[in-house]
Amino acid sequence: MTHTHVTAVEDDEPELLRDQFRQLLRYRAIIGAGIGIGLLGGVWFGLSNADTYVATSQVVLRAPVNDPFNPSVSQDKTLNMGSERQTALSSSVAEQAAKKLGWTGTLGKLQKDLQVTNPPQSQVLQFTYTADTPQAAADRANAVTQAYLDLRKKQWTDLRATMLAGQQKQLDEVAKKHDQKTKEVDRMSDGAARDNEYAVKTNLLNRINELDARISQLKSLDMSAGTVIRTATAPGFSDGPGLTMSLGLGALVGVALGLLAAWVRLVFDPAPRSAGDVARAVRAPVLGTLPRGATDVLLADDHTDARVAEEYRSVAFRLAYDQRFADRRRLLVVAPRGSNDAAVAVASHLAASFAETGKDVLLIEADLRTPTLAGRLRAHAAAAPRWSHPVESEENGWPGRRQLSVDAGESGSFGLVPGERVRNVARALTAPTVTRLIAEADSPNATVVVLAPPVLNYADALALVDRVDGVLIVCDPRGVHRTDLQRIRELIAGAGGTVLGAVVHTAGGQRRAAKQAGGGRRGGGGGRSRQPAPAPSGAEEFTDEPEQVIPGDGSDTVTLRSLRAEDLRTGDIRAGDR
């Protein structure tokens, strides 16, 4: 049992977050499923990585230069590390490594477990290989590293050979011209012509010397692509996080997954999951949260748990101190849809609670479709307050002159106007007699509680809204939608009424058993076929006298009646004929 008064408008953001988190915890099954999935994933990850070993080798790259100690030569401008990394991952390197290892599988399988990275601001390539055994990881990492170095050395060597061939070809052509020019100069006599030819010969000789120098430089280059600074060795332990850590990570991921799934479920759940949701939907406070089973019986004395009576008393006191209700104390109790048992229980308990404070209480059962209160309460024909007697009898048959008194045990007693089946419910509820019956309860010591059928099943409650001071909505948050509560508030406001608050409850064992036996679905209108429950043991049972039926007056048939012209002229149209 909780005594909570939830305001209709909550601007405290931390409180809203706490409320939403509490609502998420209602989906324990979804959160538990998420944790279970995370744990299973952690077990799978831990077992799949239990026999995983990683070996690493590192290579410092260099480009062939004439003078490696020359500070003017920048290696980072000579080498493109992105291109070098792509070369290391190429199929050419994989083919060379496969030959060294004697690999019998496909190149794709060999390349799949290889990872090549380049630490920032460096000319280092790091080869990382993952395998099922420590030695296999080390051997494959070293093989790939050496294959890369061999491939790059071969590429540099091939490039130098091409350049040497080009330079030698030029040298041979220039040397041939120089020899021819030397012969020509030797045959010529001294003079200006011989001097010109001698200058050409000198230029050719300079060109020969230049080509010789270039060839000598190319031949002196070191063609090694880099230096191995870290040789891969067999790791002594598995690279996986271990089963314990995998389970921990899986649990964390599972909690996050479960909370996410619960949040998605909460967002798309049409039912209000807390008293705060109900308050926001009806824009009125939640006056009480009833414990489980509090609506199974109609009077607090029949409950074995004293907390139920205290909760109903707290609701009654909150209503009594509400200025909108305290002036004339006329209350309409309704349910959203479906069964009306909870509203019946709340109305009878509130009537007993008001009677306990010394008020002259009248409980009006305005449910003229399935009236049950006279048979379910300890009602008997006795003297009722003078103000509760109708001034005159209504031809519809309700309310009748006979009033009942209900013994509420230690709370005292209160009057009851039981509902009766009528031919025209709308005409009976809007009759002046009902208006006077409710309006004559304006004495300082009077309180009227009106019980109406579910709002979304019938429009009967809306016909009474403008004659009471406020409406109390009784609902089970798990059995109603937020849109239903919003629609009820709009209907009541449109009819000129005010929602004083709501009372939330949880379906007890009896109601759940009846719901399962009836096969009713959530939000259905199963209340129409409800049979009156037997009166409590030891209570005096009240039985309505059978209604006298006069043949031919229209009450013995449900078919349409024909009207005569003189009836229309005289205005003699009975309620049952409309």
Side-chain angles (χ1 to χ4, degrees), residues 249-317:
L249 293 176
L252 291 177
V253 174
V255 169
L257 181 64
L259 290 176
L260 177 62
W263 180 78
V264 173
R265 178 69 176 87
L266 176 66
V267 169
F268 291 98
D269 189 1
R273 304 303 301 184
S274 67
D277 280 354
V278 175
R280 285 186 288 271
V282 301
R283 295 185 184 177
V286 173
L287 301 179
T289 301
L290 303 179
R292 186 182 301 275
T295 59
D296 288 342
V297 295
L298 302 187
L299 291 176
D301 289 344
D302 298 330
H303 284 283
T304 58
D305 191 350
R307 297 177 302 168
V308 175
E310 293 302 323
E311 182 65 25
Y312 280 113
R313 290 189 186 100
S314 66
V315 175
F317 277 117

Side-chain angles (χ1 to χ4, degrees), residues 470-484:
V471 180
L472 181 66
I473 301 175
V474 181
C475 67
D476 179 3
R478 299 176 182 270
V480 69
H481 292 176
R482 284 188 293 266
T483 54
D484 292 340

